[in-house]
Amino acid sequence: MKNNKPDLSFWQIWNMCFGFLGIQFGFALQNGNVSRIFQTLGANVDDIPILWVAAPLTGLIVQPIIGYWSDKTWGKLGRRRPFFLYGAILTTLSLFIMPNSPTLWIAAGMLWIMDASINVTMEPFRALVGDNLPNKQRATGYAMQSFFIGVGAVVASALPWMMTNWFDIANTAAAGQIPDSVKYSFYFGAVVLLVAVGWTIITTKEYSPEELAAFNQQDQTEAEQAVSAQINFSKGGSVFTVLGLAVLGLVMGLNLEKELYLLAAGLVSFGVIQFIAATLQAKNHTSGGFYQVVNDVFTMPEAMKQLAWVQFFSWFALFAMWIYTTSAVTSFHYGSSDTSSAAYNNGADWVGILFAAYNGFAALAALCIPIIVKRVGLKLAHALNLILGALGLASFMFIQDPSLLIWPMIGIGFAWASILSLPYAMLSTSVPSHKMGVYMGIFNFFIVIPQLLAASVLGLILRHFFQNQPIYALMLGAVSFVLAAVAVLRVKQS
């Protein structure tokens, strides 16, 4: 593949990635505070995973669709930038509304809307790096995104603590009420997100489809064969539908946990999607977006298939951490599960600081990781960083003083920065340029599926094997990081 795009300057790459600072404000506020909001509005600890299911499910649906549309879009704002703008506006509105949710189910619905809005903006940002940078600068581009993710998350995760300790805004409220420190944090984050994404829109140009075609003079035969490949969708649809119905029957017949309905629904839904694709294939209606995306899932580049297990175990661990760190620290280290107590809210604020810390360490790690890669290669560097993350999560069980929990965040920060950059560095050069957006969206499947599985089974596992103690969810996350490290060593790179 020829790729003759001119190198971009440091500041051009900086401007192109700056919007990720705002995007991460939204994600960090969501990850660090939504479980707190759910518990405040009356959710039980074992109900939290199913309430969180909106976030990964939204990404599963939205990202490939947005990727496909952004591949086909070209207008006054360009190819990817229209999605930056519309997603940023919707996310800003969602951040203002979320902390004012009057009931638990309205909060769960707002999480769905907010995550969809963030995904509309985020996915095209990934594709923009591939669009604008030559191959040799893509690792730098993804590392720059990781840097802004770290910096943005440091500030956003610490905002509730900062509101309380710097501006004397209350971090407690009456039972069932969201503290003002959380509300004002969401308001501030909404403004930062809109400004940061707006900066990228204003300062970054995009290549037109004609310019991209000229830069990437490549043989399209392989891509055309992938599109026309005769996948037996009917067979796959039958297998997944029957399996899903069998799980559903077991859940209903044995009166198993309600979370398993999610697993059954996911299997049946994937089967139905394949049946629809089979019908379109039989009628030779294969030029539409739905069929194209489904077909691309089954004809994805080999590198994506090899990285699937790495992503699966990495994101299972991350989702366990995001869901359960607040309840684990408040109950295990602060000794309180009463959301109206000072001990609980002090612990929840400290979790915000811990999340800020691992993102801060991730920003520093983003500067170190390219050096590590040059010394040991992509695979070993990623494996080492994942092991550091495993050690960080496992240490929560053995550290009694919550003030010392800041140190495990170093390992988690390295793992986080690595997860956000190195898999994309391994993948980007194997993805056809004219399908950069849709393949980046499909790559998100390997992030979303483990999160859906975590939402389905984590609560069940804690109830049946660990006396509903959330600290053990972090231990399961540590094991999952180790499995991801083993999986990355098995990836075959050309």
Side-chain angles (χ1 to χ4, degrees), residues 9-145:
S9 69
F10 172 84
W11 290 112
Q12 286 175 311
I13 298 174
W14 174 282
N15 291 335
M16 182 176 65
C17 297
F18 187 73
F20 245 99
L21 178 76
I23 292 173
Q24 194 56 34
F25 257 77
F27 265 126
L29 287 167
Q30 173 181 296
N31 292 338
N33 296 282
V34 166
S35 289
R36 179 181 187 175
I37 292 172
F38 286 162
Q39 283 189 278
T40 301
L41 294 175
N44 295 320
V45 170
D46 55 351
D47 289 330
I48 291 177
I50 200 68
L51 292 169
W52 265 88
V53 72
L57 185 60
T58 302
L60 183 68
I61 297 170
V62 169
Q63 288 216 14
I65 295 173
I66 294 300
Y68 178 83
W69 284 348
S70 68
D71 283 340
K72 306 295 182 182
T73 295
W74 184 256
K76 292 182 178 179
L77 271 181
R79 189 184 195 187
R80 315 292 181 186
R81 287 180 295 171
F83 297 91
F84 299 170
L85 177 61
Y86 303 142
I89 292 172
L90 290 173
T91 306
T92 298
L93 294 174
S94 299
L95 286 168
F96 274 101
I97 296 171
M98 179 68 176
N100 293 294
S101 300
T103 65
L104 177 61
W105 291 109
I106 290 178
M110 283 309 306
L111 174 61
W112 192 297
I113 295 170
M114 184 165 61
D115 203 81
S117 303
I118 294 174
N119 275 294
V120 169
T121 300
M122 186 187 69
E123 194 286 327
F125 259 101
R126 295 288 190 195
L128 184 66
V129 171
D131 290 343
N132 280 13
L133 293 179
N135 290 347
K136 65 181 179 180
Q137 285 192 311
R138 287 181 184 175
T140 302
Y142 289 121
M144 185 70 77
Q145 286 187 350

Side-chain angles (χ1 to χ4, degrees), residues 327-478:
S327 53
V329 170
T330 54
S331 62
F332 187 80
H333 297 92
Y334 282 81
S336 177
S337 297
D338 180 3
T339 59
S340 63
S341 69
Y344 176 90
N345 284 283
N346 287 334
D349 284 350
W350 184 238
V351 170
I353 296 299
L354 295 179
F355 278 23
Y358 89 71
N359 281 286
F361 290 127
L364 297 176
L367 305 177
C368 301
I369 285 174
I371 300 172
I372 300 173
V373 169
K374 286 183 179 180
R375 291 184 176 274
V376 301
L378 280 169
K379 292 198 301 182
L380 186 55
H382 194 41
L384 291 173
N385 290 326
L386 291 170
I387 292 296
L388 288 176
L391 292 173
L393 280 183
S395 65
F396 272 66
M397 175 69 76
F398 305 102
I399 294 175
Q400 299 298 318
D401 184 352
S403 66
L404 298 179
L405 293 176
I406 202 77
W407 299 112
M409 296 299 104
I410 297 175
I412 294 172
F414 268 81
W416 178 230
S418 192
I419 290 167
L420 291 173
S421 56
L422 296 191
Y424 295 96
M426 295 182 208
L427 176 68
S428 63
T429 56
S430 68
V431 175
S433 63
H434 65 291
K435 289 190 174 184
M436 184 71 69
V438 69
Y439 273 126
M440 287 294 176
I442 291 172
F443 196 49
N444 187 58
F445 288 176
F446 307 142
I447 296 172
V448 172
I449 291 171
Q451 294 183 45
L452 291 174
L453 183 64
S456 300
V457 304
L458 271 177
L460 183 151
I461 291 172
L462 292 185
R463 283 196 297 273
H464 286 279
F465 298 102
F466 300 108
Q467 294 78 49
N468 215 23
Q469 298 297 312
I471 190 69
Y472 288 100
L474 304 187
M475 294 298 292
L476 292 174

Side-chain angles (χ1 to χ4, degrees), residues 87-340:
I89 292 172
L90 290 173
T91 306
T92 298
L93 294 174
S94 299
L95 286 168
F96 274 101
I97 296 171
M98 179 68 176
N100 293 294
S101 300
T103 65
L104 177 61
W105 291 109
I106 290 178
M110 283 309 306
L111 174 61
W112 192 297
I113 295 170
M114 184 165 61
D115 203 81
S117 303
I118 294 174
N119 275 294
V120 169
T121 300
M122 186 187 69
E123 194 286 327
F125 259 101
R126 295 288 190 195
L128 184 66
V129 171
D131 290 343
N132 280 13
L133 293 179
N135 290 347
K136 65 181 179 180
Q137 285 192 311
R138 287 181 184 175
T140 302
Y142 289 121
M144 185 70 77
Q145 286 187 350
S146 295
F147 173 77
F148 281 121
I149 287 170
V151 172
V154 167
V155 181
S157 297
L159 276 176
W161 183 91
M162 292 161 60
M163 292 291 177
T164 299
N165 291 275
W166 293 1
F167 302 104
D168 200 28
I169 297 173
N171 74 335
T172 58
Q177 299 295 315
I178 310 301
D180 284 344
S181 61
V182 175
K183 290 183 178 181
Y184 287 117
S185 297
F186 273 69
Y187 301 158
F188 182 78
V191 174
V192 171
L193 184 146
L194 190 61
V195 170
V197 174
W199 179 263
T200 291
I201 293 172
I202 293 170
T203 60
T204 300
K205 65 160 286 186
E206 294 186 76
Y207 294 116
S208 68
E210 294 75 21
E211 289 173 313
L212 286 174
F215 286 136
N216 299 284
Q217 299 171 5
Q218 57 190 18
D219 183 6
Q220 299 293 330
T221 302
E222 182 179 348
E224 291 169 358
Q225 288 175 346
V227 170
S228 62
Q230 291 298 309
I231 306 298
N232 191 342
F233 291 114
S234 295
K235 180 179 179 181
S238 299
V239 170
F240 277 91
T241 302
V242 169
L243 184 58
L245 292 175
V247 172
L248 180 62
L250 288 173
V251 174
M252 296 177 65
L254 299 178
N255 197 27
L256 299 177
E257 279 76 0
K258 61 182 180 297
E259 290 91 341
L260 293 176
Y261 282 113
L262 177 63
L263 179 60
L267 293 169
V268 172
S269 298
F270 191 50
V272 171
I273 287 170
Q274 291 183 73
F275 279 132
I276 296 173
T279 301
L280 294 172
Q281 187 182 68
K283 295 180 178 181
N284 201 31
H285 295 164
T286 59
S287 59
F290 179 88
Y291 182 86
Q292 290 293 313
V293 172
V294 175
N295 190 72
D296 286 338
V297 171
F298 288 88
T299 57
M300 67 182 70
E302 190 64 26
M304 293 176 67
K305 299 176 183 178
Q306 295 170 344
L307 287 165
W309 288 108
V310 181
Q311 295 292 82
F312 178 91
F313 290 117
S314 298
W315 286 88
F316 187 94
L318 289 170
F319 204 58
M321 180 183 71
W322 290 333
I323 292 176
Y324 282 107
T325 299
T326 296
S327 53
V329 170
T330 54
S331 62
F332 187 80
H333 297 92
Y334 282 81
S336 177
S337 297
D338 180 3
T339 59
S340 63

